[in-house]
Amino acid sequence: MWHVYTMRIEDEIQQKDFKDDYRRLLVNLLFTNNWVNQQVMPFFRAHGLTLQQHNVLSILRGQHPEPVCFGDIQCRMADRSSNVTRLIDKLIEKGYATRDICQANRRMIEVRLTEKGLQKLEEVDEDMPALYQRFHNLSHEEAVLVSNMLDKLRG
Amino acid sequence: MWHVYTMRIEDEIQQKDFKDDYRRLLVNLLFTNNWVNQQVMPFFRAHGLTLQQHNVLSILRGQHPEPVCFGDIQCRMADRSSNVTRLIDKLIEKGYATRDICQANRRMIEVRLTEKGLQKLEEVDEDMPALYQRFHNLSHEEAVLVSNMLDKLRG
DNA sequence: ACTCTATATTTGTATACACAAGTAATGTAT
DNA sequence: ATACATTACTTGTGTATACAAATATAGAGT
């Protein structure tokens, strides 16, 4: 009898702790999200880019001087949901990229990094240590640990 | 002589590893950020709320039936940068909150949760376990660990 | 060749956000 | 009392985002 009773209490407590710890994680992720944006946005803005624009430029550099098509860019972006067309428009406006219809499959658009875009990326790279500086509250090992945990979280 | 040389290499390697680990952390935080939003947004949308609207309602419940003024709401929100005025407007539109000019200091606005708002919160609460379910890739202990690390990261 | 479906990108629209400027009430110093 | 600064919230504006619908090309089956 008392066994059943205590089990119930334990279950209840366990459930409660359980819920609260994951809730704390969720709130923490949202806070951190916001904090990261506040660190990162002004950094890229100082270089005349948004985070996503820089992200796309980096993807383009990965294949440079080969082109990358829209779909591939979309797949590789951290933020999948955003509108690649209009992002690329901005980069072309600024002279950092070019677009051409792919002759092999005319539905596809080939996007290439320009020399100017490459220079901009190198300029940003030089400044990068200043950005990473802001993550130094965590040790080298802790940074690796958190990365691994986040990978695991997303499954 | 060789000592100096090897030291240089070690420094260089260390520097490189260092940089890459923090870079990986940054990219990982951005990816996770996006992933969390994709888990959370549809959940709240299914209840006719945005994440931020729910966040404000929770803050209001914390003081209920006492009012909370705009400034306090802004301070307590996860995303500090958003526009509280227009957020509250939405909640009032939906009948979840009320606003009154504070008689003690007529610059301030007192926001209160309505009965309807309270019911909506309870409805969301009941469904919460379904949301937390998505974080179960991490064990209880890992969830706590990551929370602590994120706290440390933000300083 | 013709229709149907799938793929790849674009456009439209409503909503959200960031930042700056604006308004209104209060406090403070002369 | 009057002028100036500060606080607390609001509004305006351009940009960004989410989601859905539209276009345009390619491939597959008949």
Side-chain angles (χ1 to χ4, degrees):
Chain A
M1 279 300 252
W2 65 266
H3 190 175
V4 173
Y5 183 59
T6 54
M7 279 302 280
R8 267 198 213 129
I9 285 179
E10 279 176 359
D11 285 350
E12 202 178 355
I13 289 169
Q14 180 142 5
Q15 189 58 28
K16 204 169 169 134
D17 279 353
F18 204 64
K19 180 186 146 193
D20 284 353
D21 285 333
Y22 285 100
R23 174 169 208 131
R24 182 169 161 239
L25 176 60
L26 172 56
V27 172
N28 224 322
L29 285 166
L30 296 171
F31 256 100
T32 303
N33 182 345
N34 190 236
W35 180 85
V36 170
N37 282 337
Q38 283 179 356
Q39 307 302 307
V40 163
M41 274 175 46
F43 174 84
F44 286 111
R45 163 163 297 200
H47 290 282
L49 294 172
T50 64
L51 168 61
Q52 295 199 338
Q53 285 168 6
H54 178 262
N55 193 208
V56 172
L57 287 179
S58 300
I59 290 167
L60 294 179
R61 180 164 61 177
Q63 295 302 110
H64 188 74
E66 293 302 308
V68 185
C69 79
F70 271 71
D72 290 343
I73 293 171
Q74 193 146 35
C75 290
R76 291 185 214 170
M77 283 183 65
D79 184 348
R80 304 275 169 86
S81 58
S82 67
N83 194 319
V84 180
T85 302
R86 287 185 272 232
L87 250 171
I88 300 286
D89 286 348
K90 285 288 157 64
L91 293 177
I92 290 168
E93 248 175 53
K94 291 176 186 173
Y96 298 150
T98 60
R99 67 195 284 162
D100 300 286
I101 293 171
C102 170
Q103 288 312 317
N105 184 342
R106 290 162 46 72
R107 286 172 299 184
M108 296 207 273
I109 300 287
E110 295 179 335
V111 184
R112 278 182 187 79
L113 197 59
T114 63
E115 193 55 38
K116 191 178 170 191
L118 199 57
Q119 278 167 23
K120 171 57 75 176
L121 271 175
E122 280 164 9
E123 174 199 318
V124 174
D125 276 349
E126 277 178 30
D127 203 14
M128 275 286 179
L131 180 57
Y132 296 138
Q133 192 70 35
R134 305 179 180 218
F135 296 86
H136 282 26
N137 287 337
L138 293 188
S139 74
H140 198 235
E141 290 75 20
E142 287 169 335
V144 173
L145 179 64
V146 173
S147 274
N148 290 339
M149 287 288 165
L150 293 179
D151 285 339
K152 189 173 176 194
L153 171 64
R154 296 195 310 273
Chain B
M1 276 301 250
W2 65 267
H3 190 176
V4 171
Y5 184 57
T6 55
M7 278 303 281
R8 266 197 213 128
I9 285 180
E10 280 177 358
D11 284 350
E12 201 178 355
I13 288 170
Q14 180 142 6
Q15 189 59 28
K16 203 172 171 129
D17 278 353
F18 203 64
K19 180 186 147 192
D20 284 353
D21 285 334
Y22 284 100
R23 175 170 207 129
R24 182 169 162 239
L25 175 60
L26 173 55
V27 172
N28 224 320
L29 285 167
L30 296 170
F31 257 99
T32 303
N33 181 347
N34 191 237
W35 180 85
V36 170
N37 282 337
Q38 283 178 357
Q39 307 303 308
V40 164
M41 274 176 45
F43 174 84
F44 285 111
R45 164 163 298 202
H47 290 283
L49 295 172
T50 65
L51 169 61
Q52 294 199 339
Q53 285 168 6
H54 179 262
N55 193 208
V56 171
L57 287 180
S58 299
I59 291 168
L60 293 179
R61 181 165 57 178
Q63 296 301 111
H64 188 72
E66 293 301 306
V68 185
C69 78
F70 271 70
D72 289 343
I73 293 171
Q74 192 146 37
C75 290
R76 289 184 214 171
M77 282 183 66
D79 183 348
R80 305 274 169 85
S81 57
S82 67
N83 194 319
V84 179
T85 302
R86 287 185 273 230
L87 250 171
I88 300 285
D89 285 349
K90 285 288 158 66
L91 293 177
I92 291 168
E93 248 175 53
K94 291 175 185 172
Y96 299 150
T98 60
R99 66 193 284 162
D100 301 286
I101 294 171
C102 170
Q103 289 311 318
N105 183 344
R106 290 162 46 72
R107 288 172 297 184
M108 297 208 275
I109 300 288
E110 294 178 337
V111 184
R112 279 182 186 79
L113 196 60
T114 63
E115 193 55 36
K116 191 178 169 190
L118 198 58
Q119 277 167 23
K120 172 56 76 174
L121 271 175
E122 280 163 9
E123 174 198 317
V124 175
D125 277 348
E126 275 177 31
D127 204 15
M128 275 285 179
L131 179 58
Y132 297 137
Q133 192 70 34
R134 305 180 179 216
F135 295 87
H136 282 26
N137 287 337
L138 293 187
S139 73
H140 199 235
E141 290 74 20
E142 288 168 334
V144 173
L145 178 63
V146 173
S147 274
N148 290 339
M149 287 287 165
L150 293 179
D151 285 338
K152 190 174 177 194
L153 171 64
R154 296 195 310 274

